[in-house]
Amino acid sequence: MIEIYFEQANDAEKLFCLLKERQKKTMNLLFQATYNGDSLVTIYIYDNTDQVILSDLIPAMTKFILRFIEDRLLLSIISGTFYFQDKEEQHQILQLAHSFLDGERYDYRKGKQSSISRETLIANALQHFLKDGLSFSFSSFITFRLKPYMERLQHYVELAIDEYKLEQEYQNFVQMLRDCVSSKKPKLSVIHLVHKPPSFLFFDEKLCEITASELKQMIDRNLIISQPMYIDSSILAPLVSIAPNIIYLYTDDIDDGMIQTIQNVFQERIFLCSQSDFAKYRAIGAKQDR
């Protein structure tokens, strides 16, 4: 028999449900739960051959940890190890940690996802620990037996915090540029901005191209000096310095990073168009000039 003690009754109930799922599939598991007082719950696992532990108990406990305990552990690391106490900050960092854990974001420290999954780390720890006749506290198992798994979680929390801080810096940078644009008198009322990856071409309201040297002369030097973050001198700096009322932005790649930043800074002043639209407008303009 294996005895597992839980400090929270709802944790025991969740594992109990997962054990029932395994029991329906294999008909191998024999178990029961007892309440000791108001909160402490014990789950008893019977008929604990190595095969039953390996094929039924370990998969159920692994799924339980990943599904119900992992977020709790992540939040504990976020608040206890890195001292983020604000609930909204914790939530944002937790969501970023999930994006790294799920492989949606690139692990720039290691270069790739580890070949050993979190599921395997947990299962390995359980396999080395569980045996017939064992009696243990679930919280103690988490604290003392899951070091590689906890190190993995902390690694991704660190990545999430780095990403969160970068995002905060970016949002502050964008807001400063917005304030700068709103405080300026437009040097040109309309700009046509054509995206030719990786560069951009500037045209005035008559669709005449503005040269790089002309753009350079329009740049507000105080803008370059006052910004704590790097501001692109060929695109953002002249665009913010001109502060046009309307920007027609021609692109076929709306997910491009600079496109996103321009949209974030100029917001309602931006009108998105396709690159083919610019060729049509220039052709129309050429006919009208004849």
Side-chain angles (χ1 to χ4, degrees):
M1 182 174 67
I2 294 176
E3 299 179 11
I4 311 174
Y5 302 98
F6 290 87
E7 295 176 0
Q8 297 185 36
N10 63 337
D11 283 346
E13 290 166 2
K14 290 169 184 174
L15 178 58
F16 194 83
C17 290
L18 291 175
L19 291 172
K20 277 188 175 180
E21 290 179 9
R22 296 298 305 181
Q23 187 183 53
K24 289 178 182 178
K25 292 179 180 178
T26 66
M27 303 301 292
N28 289 329
L29 275 172
L30 296 173
F31 58 91
Q32 69 176 35
T34 61
Y35 287 79
N36 305 320
D38 295 329
S39 59
L40 185 63
V41 178
T42 306
I43 291 181
Y44 299 93
I45 315 292
Y46 304 100
D47 190 20
N48 294 303
T49 64
D50 290 343
Q51 181 59 36
V52 170
I53 290 173
L54 190 63
S55 63
D56 296 302
L57 183 55
I58 289 177
M61 291 191 68
T62 299
K63 182 184 287 189
F64 168 66
I65 291 169
L66 289 172
R67 184 183 294 180
F68 300 112
I69 304 301
E70 186 168 82
D71 275 8
R72 194 185 304 169
L73 298 175
L74 288 168
L75 285 170
S76 176
I77 294 169
I78 291 167
S79 62
T81 303
F82 296 102
Y83 306 108
F84 285 88
Q85 302 302 321
D86 181 80
K87 296 298 182 183
E88 180 60 30
E89 284 189 322
Q90 290 178 1
H91 177 73
Q92 291 183 43
I93 294 169
L94 178 63
Q95 295 308 307
L96 286 168
H98 273 295
S99 69
F100 282 109
L101 288 166
D102 297 337
E104 297 168 8
R105 290 176 183 264
Y106 181 70
D107 184 346
Y108 50 84
R109 291 189 183 177
K110 293 184 176 179
K112 60 180 180 179
Q113 288 279 29
S114 173
S115 58
I116 304 176
S117 68
R118 303 183 334 274
E119 183 176 9
T120 300
L121 290 175
I122 297 169
N124 286 345
L126 287 166
Q127 188 174 349
H128 286 94
F129 179 67
L130 291 176
K131 59 183 178 180
D132 193 25
L134 184 66
S135 177
F136 68 97
S137 160
F138 179 76
S139 61
S140 295
F141 170 76
I142 294 291
T143 303
F144 299 110
R145 298 287 181 168
L146 285 182
K147 185 177 180 182
Y149 170 66
M150 293 298 293
E151 288 175 347
R152 176 74 62 81
L153 294 188
Q154 179 162 325
H155 169 74
Y156 285 118
V157 168
E158 289 172 355
L159 292 178
I161 289 171
D162 288 346
E163 192 79 5
Y164 174 74
K165 288 180 178 178
L166 285 173
E167 179 64 22
Q168 292 299 107
E169 290 176 4
Y170 173 76
Q171 293 299 335
N172 291 335
F173 172 68
V174 166
Q175 187 58 53
M176 283 188 288
L177 294 182
R178 285 177 190 163
D179 294 341
C180 186
V181 168
S182 64
S183 67
K184 285 181 176 294
K185 182 179 179 180
K187 293 181 180 179
L188 296 173
S189 61
V190 176
I191 285 289
H192 294 266
L193 189 62
V194 182
H195 185 206
K196 297 284 187 181
S199 60
F200 289 78
L201 301 177
F202 286 71
F203 296 82
D204 63 18
E205 59 185 335
K206 295 182 179 180
L207 300 181
C208 296
E209 185 171 359
I210 306 171
T211 66
S213 60
E214 290 172 332
L215 287 173
K216 190 174 181 180
Q217 292 176 1
M218 293 182 184
I219 293 176
D220 182 351
R221 297 301 161 189
N222 291 326
L223 178 65
I224 303 294
I225 296 170
S226 63
Q227 293 302 319
M229 291 182 68
Y230 169 75
I231 180 169
D232 183 276
S233 60
S234 62
I235 304 166
L236 269 183
L239 203 54
V240 171
S241 298
I242 295 170
N245 291 321
I246 297 174
I247 300 172
Y248 293 101
L249 178 52
Y250 304 87
T251 183
D252 292 330
D253 185 8
I254 60 173
D255 294 325
D256 178 85
M258 183 58 74
I259 297 291
Q260 294 291 318
T261 297
I262 292 170
Q263 286 185 277
N264 288 335
V265 172
F266 289 91
Q267 299 177 303
E268 71 280 355
R269 302 188 189 204
I270 289 283
F271 292 87
L272 280 176
C273 311
S274 67
Q275 286 195 21
S276 60
D277 289 335
F278 183 70
K280 294 176 186 176
Y281 295 151
R282 291 201 83 181
I284 294 170
K287 289 180 180 179
Q288 291 174 346
D289 289 341
R290 290 175 184 173

